[in-house]
Amino acid sequence: MSIKEDLIKELSDSVVDMEEEKTVKAANKWVKSGLKAYDAIDKGLSDGMNRAGVLYEQEEYYIPELLMCSDAMYAGLDVLKPHLNKSEEGDKHKVVIGVVEGDTHDIGKNLVKIMMETEGFEVIDLGRDVPPIDFVNKTKEVGADIIALSTLMTTTMDGMDQVIKLLKKEGIRDRVKVMIGGGPISQSFADKIGADIYTTDASKAAKTARKMFAKGGVMSER
């Protein structure tokens, strides 16, 4: 394997293995090698958390293990974030992001936020356990182009549908794109509630949003 492939494996494995020091060491090696920090986050740290999530679903990992994995991931992020090359293409479009009401799992949401900022978006993070109306009110307040909704729980998925219904009620659905994601979310669910974008990971979410703007600014017609 190449140095890049070796380090990607190190980053991913160290997150899964809950090895914070090893994650920091691998992240520092990555920076010294002059490689793109974005790839380390996307293919290394994010992949490690995805693998940890699978182990959680299989009941091989539980909440304490998942938290230690996230600690390792955030330790790596602290090293890599200052070296991200932020996109400066055009105006900064605004994204309101958060975890829907009833859910406090925000690892995926935090990764999407970082990737969105790297792609040049201005991200307004509402945090976790966010009521549907708060997404809509903040979107109206800041003039956001996208609402990005996350959940890891099947019991809170309905909150995403509520956000879309509230956007329609306020008469602004046609000018705001709704992006959804998280463990239990699928394309069929996105189609059912009328969401505009569904992606399986943070990098795809950010790149999909950027591509939509690149195609004649379809989301900026207000």
Side-chain angles (χ1 to χ4, degrees), residues 56 99-105 129 150-160 181-185 189:
Y56 177 72
V99 181
V100 295
E101 188 172 25
D103 192 349
T104 58
H105 301 91
D129 193 18
S150 169
T151 188
L152 272 182
M153 299 168 62
T154 55
T155 53
T156 57
M157 289 166 62
D158 185 58
M160 297 177 168
I185 307 304
F189 177 73

Side-chain angles (χ1 to χ4, degrees), residues 117-219:
E117 289 174 339
T118 300
E119 289 292 335
F121 291 96
E122 180 182 339
V123 182
I124 298 95
D125 186 359
L126 299 185
R128 51 195 184 178
D129 193 18
V130 182
I133 191 63
D134 288 2
F135 285 104
V136 177
N137 286 341
K138 181 57 71 172
T139 295
K140 288 166 64 180
E141 179 189 327
V142 302
D145 305 282
I146 302 175
I147 296 178
L149 305 166
S150 169
T151 188
L152 272 182
M153 299 168 62
T154 55
T155 53
T156 57
M157 289 166 62
D158 185 58
M160 297 177 168
D161 187 29
Q162 292 302 313
V163 170
I164 291 173
K165 286 176 178 174
L166 284 168
L167 288 171
K168 289 177 180 175
K169 185 179 177 183
E170 294 292 322
I172 57 172
R173 177 67 185 96
D174 61 339
R175 67 174 178 82
V176 180
K177 296 295 180 182
V178 177
M179 171 183 288
I180 65 172
I185 307 304
S186 63
Q187 185 61 59
S188 61
F189 177 73
D191 294 339
K192 179 184 173 184
I193 67 171
D196 301 291
I197 308 167
Y198 160 69
T199 57
T200 53
D201 61 57
S203 175
K204 285 178 184 173
K207 289 187 179 300
T208 300
R210 172 51 60 197
K211 282 177 185 174
M212 289 183 78
F213 278 113
K215 291 176 182 177
V218 292
M219 290 192 286

Side-chain angles (χ1 to χ4, degrees), residues 23 46 55 80 108 159 218 221:
T23 309
S46 183
L55 291 172
L80 293 162
V218 292
E221 293 176 10

